[in-house]
Amino acid sequence: MATDTGDPLPRFPAGFLWGVSTSAHQIEGAAELRGPSVWDVFTAEPGRVKDGSTAAVACDHYHRYPEDVALLAGLGVNAYRFSVSWPRVASPGGLDFYDRLVDELCAAGVRPVPTLFHWDLPAGLDWLERDTAARFADHVTVVADRLGDRVTKWITLNEPAEHTLLGHALGAHAPGRRLLFDALPVAHHQLLAHGLAVRALRAAGARDIGIANSHGPTWPASADPDDVAAAGFYDTLLNRLFAEPVLLGAYPDGLGELMPGDVAADLRVIAEPLDWYGVNYYAPTRVGAPLGTRSEFGGLAIPAELPFSVREIGGRALTDFGWPVVPEGLTELLCGFRDRYGDRLPPIVITENGCSYEGLDDQERIAYLDAHLRALHAALEAGVDVRGYFVWSLLDNFEWAEGYARRFGLVHVDHDTLERTPKASYRWFRDVLRAQG
Ligand code: BGC
């Protein structure tokens, strides 16, 4: 893997947002104080989460948020991306928690950047139903009315691509459906929810709104036309299906014909102009023609009946999750987006980037983050308008279907005692932020 060269990082522009990201279900705990989400239902089903764990306690951030905000302040970030749990907001006293958290952040000089949906849909709601989009907009209004006097920067959805693919097409995440391409309405309804949320936020006075979509370069397994076509299809699913309705007001490659409802009217809502576009980047994917058997990526089984297979990238260090470490993929991705969308692309914020490794002396994480920041700077130098960078994640947390087995945090969490211990990467990032001023 690329290693930390020891050279100081290049300077990022003044006013750059430096942050870390988390999500409600992965850290909050205090599940008994809110209604259940689809993730609570899913984790209760035997065999769904690899280590059999649940997020009932998680990092107990709900009770320990002052300690976690102190960790943020000690790190020196100027922004913190967290998510607001819809089932908590819908429960008595739930919004009070976010009120307290936002106050604590403001007092510490850390800008709150809430995500309004990070996969923890209230149990009983369903993205196959169009009405869920309208219900989401109501949730957004309630949150914005309460927090909008102190929160100025908002994120509508986190990674609707993963929530559709993993949760509804492949069944690896909640709600555990295996609909393959019949999951497409889930994509459309989330996109509609995004557009309605932008309108609701603007109606509440918000002026700084983005979405956090996951993206990564797609590399064909070979120059064989079948591999190239399969990679193009995968690229459409990952990089275009959730970007183009938002940025261009159109679905790519005739996918709009497969979507439910009055798609043309919906697209006008979905394409509400954004103030910035959030990119979550972890790794590229190497994709080839179907193999007739299932393929695998970082522990995820890709069924044989899909029109592509995922192949090993090879020759790269792997994180503990089995994801290849490819920092220059971030430069390629951002320059590719700039070339593809031109002036339709608003300023970019990297809303997630990080890696899972064990240990407190996490030199691999430092090397990973160092190399990705250099790759990000290369994109800036190539003329891409990037305004911020958030590390995933502040704390070791509940990593969805992997349970507590994957550790993405700058801060180690002992999942028995809940004790927090900053890792070497926390001190490294703190020094980076100090040097950036
Ligand atoms: C998600 C996070 C997740 C991280 C690492 C992203 O897909 O937004 O919730 O923990 O990646 O898997």
Side-chain angles (χ1 to χ4, degrees):
M1 115 155 73
T3 50
D4 178 358
T5 58
D7 296 339
L9 282 166
R11 278 204 84 73
F12 284 73
F16 199 75
L17 274 186
W18 292 101
V20 290
S21 292
T22 63
S23 94
H25 190 78
Q26 294 179 270
I27 64 168
E28 280 179 7
E32 73 288 357
L33 298 180
R34 56 159 173 77
S37 78
V38 294
W39 266 97
D40 298 306
V41 175
F42 183 78
T43 47
E45 293 167 12
R48 293 298 206 176
V49 174
K50 287 186 184 152
D51 61 4
S53 60
T54 77
V57 175
C59 305
D60 195 31
H61 169 75
Y62 180 91
H63 295 108
R64 293 165 198 251
Y65 73 91
E67 184 182 351
D68 294 337
V69 173
L71 284 165
L72 291 166
L75 190 54
V77 288
N78 56 25
Y80 172 51
R81 174 180 174 228
F82 59 99
S83 83
V84 170
S85 153
W86 186 353
R88 192 176 302 287
V89 168
S91 304
L95 252 178
D96 297 344
F97 167 67
Y98 298 105
D99 215 39
R100 294 193 292 274
L101 174 63
V102 164
D103 277 347
E104 191 88 10
L105 288 165
C106 293
V110 178
R111 185 173 185 186
V113 185
T115 305
L116 290 151
F117 178 69
H118 198 127
W119 304 351
D120 47 353
L121 189 71
L125 293 187
D126 188 339
W127 285 116
L128 282 172
E129 304 292 334
R130 181 181 176 86
D131 185 48
T132 302
R135 311 249 322 232
F136 179 64
D138 294 343
H139 155 70
V140 169
T141 298
V142 168
V143 177
D145 283 349
R146 181 73 176 270
L147 305 182
D149 56 338
R150 288 149 292 156
V151 170
T152 54
K153 199 173 188 74
W154 298 89
I155 299 174
T156 55
L157 307 181
N158 178 72
E159 297 191 356
E162 267 63 21
H163 192 51
T164 305
L165 182 73
L166 302 179
H168 298 78
L170 301 181
H173 277 189
R177 289 211 177 93
R178 209 171 169 284
L179 298 172
L180 299 180
F181 287 102
D182 290 338
L184 282 175
V186 170
H188 186 70
H189 293 148
Q190 284 181 91
L191 284 164
L192 180 61
H194 158 78
L196 292 171
V198 175
R199 288 188 173 176
L201 286 167
R202 292 239 161 87
R207 295 286 172 270
D208 191 358
I209 306 168
I211 187 171
N213 267 336
S214 63
H215 293 293
T218 304
W219 295 343
S222 77
D224 183 297
D226 289 345
D227 284 339
V228 173
F233 182 72
Y234 182 91
D235 182 54
T236 299
L237 288 184
L238 178 70
N239 291 322
R240 299 177 57 202
L241 176 57
F242 294 88
E244 296 190 5
V246 169
L247 298 175
L248 308 180
Y251 276 110
D253 294 348
L255 282 173
E257 285 145 40
L258 305 176
M259 297 302 183
D262 183 346
V263 176
D266 290 350
L267 280 166
R268 286 194 285 280
V269 179
I270 294 168
E272 278 293 330
L274 286 181
D275 302 291
W276 53 278
Y277 187 84
V279 169
N280 294 355
Y281 172 74
Y282 288 90
T285 317
R286 190 160 173 261
V287 175
L291 293 168
T293 57
R294 70 181 211 174
S295 53
E296 205 191 288
F297 177 73
L300 177 70
I302 310 293
E305 58 266 50
L306 288 180
F308 57 81
S309 57
V310 176
R311 313 289 179 81
E312 245 178 60
I313 285 189
R316 296 292 184 148
L318 300 178
T319 69
D320 285 354
F321 217 143
W323 299 351
V325 179
V326 187
E328 70 276 19
L330 180 56
T331 322
E332 178 186 329
L333 174 77
L334 297 179
C335 291
F337 256 60
R338 191 259 329 267
D339 296 346
R340 199 178 254 179
Y341 299 119
D343 57 13
R344 303 296 291 272
L345 186 66
I348 289 197
V349 175
I350 303 303
T351 33
E352 284 182 29
N353 175 235
C355 47
S356 79
Y357 288 112
E358 290 291 322
L360 287 172
D361 186 23
D362 53 344
Q363 297 301 320
E364 299 104 322
R365 178 171 289 104
I366 292 174
Y368 179 102
L369 296 176
D370 180 276
H372 282 76
L373 281 171
R374 289 174 202 277
L376 183 60
H377 198 270
L380 270 163
E381 285 194 322
V384 183
D385 184 1
V386 186
R387 304 280 178 93
Y389 175 86
F390 289 75
V391 174
W392 184 270
S393 183
L394 175 67
L395 304 171
D396 291 340
N397 58 44
F398 178 74
E399 178 51 35
W400 308 113
E402 301 285 320
Y404 296 101
R406 306 281 171 224
R407 293 183 176 272
F408 279 87
L410 298 178
V411 175
H412 178 272
V413 177
D414 179 319
H415 291 299
D416 295 322
T417 64
L418 299 171
E419 191 187 343
R420 278 88 162 126
T421 310
K423 303 179 188 177
S425 58
Y426 175 96
R427 292 184 288 277
W428 172 84
F429 196 44
R430 180 196 60 198
D431 293 347
V432 165
L433 300 182
R434 278 186 191 157
Q436 292 288 329

